[in-house]
Amino acid sequence: MINKKKIVEELIRFLDERYSDAKCSLDYVNPFQLLIATILSAQCTDERVNKVTCTLFKKYRSFEDFARADIEEFMEDIKPTGFYRNKAKNIKKLSEIVVEKYDGKMPEDIDELVKLPGIGRKTANVVLGNCFGKPGIVVDTHVKRISQRLGLTDNDNPDKIERDLMELIPEEKWTKWSHQMIEFGRDICSARKPKCESCPLSKYCGFYLDKKG
Ligand code: SF4
């Protein structure tokens, strides 16, 4: 029987020591920009998104601008981020809704945010946690993988994983902890070649112990 509480204590201690400065690596200056950048970051690296948004946010400065955008031109603007057709359609549609229903201001409530096209709990939690001080667990690919490897969740569905982690991680840490886990995933616990020999969590890690035999 694994002791999740003990694993979480050690994990938090390690993350606080090693990734004390972890934060969102997307470039933004306001919630509007972070929302758009987070949508663009699906299946794309933050570095590539930052290259695109560097010029994109000079051209489109508000939800009104995206709502009025020529869709073909907008698709070209964001093409390097991949899946650009769907991303462009979702951003244009959600911008139209924000303009019509919310007077051009982004809703700050997660239940309202996730009703917008292309916005799931992950994106909503990134924006609410980083811009509005409303903590949320961001279940991205790194958070999911590491949590499963360490046995903190048996689930595969991101919403269920989020609920499992909300039980284990103190609420005030949710946003920062998520960014620390993303750094941990990029740095040590990668998908293909995790550096288990130098990982301080290896003695708790089912994935590693199974692999070792
Ligand atoms: Fe990841 Fe390996 Fe550490 Fe397990 S032991 S958490 S797989 S790096």
Side-chain angles (χ1 to χ4, degrees):
M1 188 73 184
I2 63 167
N3 186 340
K4 290 185 188 178
K5 199 161 169 271
K6 178 144 183 58
I7 297 173
V8 165
E9 276 172 19
E10 293 250 353
L11 175 64
I12 288 176
R13 195 175 314 127
F14 163 67
L15 293 175
D16 283 345
E17 270 172 29
R18 182 80 168 245
Y19 307 108
S20 58
D21 295 331
K23 60 179 171 50
C24 179
S25 51
L26 292 166
D27 293 338
Y28 66 97
V29 297
N30 56 39
F32 155 74
Q33 289 189 355
L34 182 56
L35 184 76
I36 303 299
T38 307
I39 294 170
L40 294 179
S41 73
Q43 313 289 327
C44 183
T45 64
D46 289 358
E47 290 76 16
R48 184 168 291 205
V49 172
N50 289 340
K51 277 190 193 148
V52 169
T53 55
C54 177
T55 49
L56 189 77
F57 292 147
K58 292 189 180 108
K59 185 170 174 184
Y60 305 91
R61 294 171 183 272
S62 63
F63 288 110
E64 283 87 352
D65 288 348
F66 282 120
R68 279 194 298 260
D70 176 272
I71 192 72
E72 295 297 328
E73 187 181 329
F74 180 32
M75 283 177 184
E76 278 303 308
D77 292 333
I78 63 168
K79 202 168 185 176
T81 69
F83 299 94
Y84 58 96
R85 290 183 181 280
N86 271 344
K87 288 177 183 175
K89 283 182 200 159
N90 282 335
I91 290 172
K92 185 169 166 66
K93 184 70 197 159
L94 80 85
S95 298
E96 288 166 1
I97 295 170
V98 170
V99 170
E100 281 167 26
K101 193 171 168 193
Y102 300 100
D103 204 21
K105 288 180 74 178
M106 181 176 22
E108 296 177 24
D109 179 83
I110 192 158
D111 295 324
E112 293 298 311
L113 267 178
V114 296
K115 286 182 197 157
L116 296 171
I119 300 192
R121 291 187 63 88
K122 183 185 89 168
T123 299
N125 277 331
V126 168
V127 179
L128 294 174
N130 285 288
C131 299
F132 298 109
K134 296 182 179 179
I137 303 243
V138 178
V139 184
D140 87 324
T141 175
H142 298 289
V143 171
K144 178 180 173 181
R145 182 180 64 253
I146 300 167
S147 300
Q148 288 175 332
R149 284 176 172 176
L150 287 173
L152 303 182
T153 180
D154 295 327
N155 282 303
D156 208 44
N157 174 289
D159 290 356
K160 288 185 180 167
I161 293 174
E162 184 187 340
R163 277 204 292 277
D164 288 343
L165 294 172
M166 285 163 79
E167 297 282 319
L168 294 168
I169 311 299
E171 183 172 350
E172 72 277 7
K173 282 189 165 287
W174 287 349
T175 301
K176 174 101 181 210
W177 180 86
S178 303
H179 290 306
Q180 290 174 319
M181 286 282 275
I182 292 167
E183 297 262 310
F184 179 32
R186 287 176 180 155
D187 186 24
I188 295 177
C189 191
S190 62
R192 297 223 175 119
K193 287 190 181 166
K195 299 170 190 154
C196 301
E197 304 303 333
S198 56
C199 174
L201 281 316
S202 61
K203 60 181 173 293
Y204 302 114
C205 178
F207 177 87
Y208 172 67
L209 296 171
D210 283 352
K211 201 171 59 166
K212 225 173 123 202

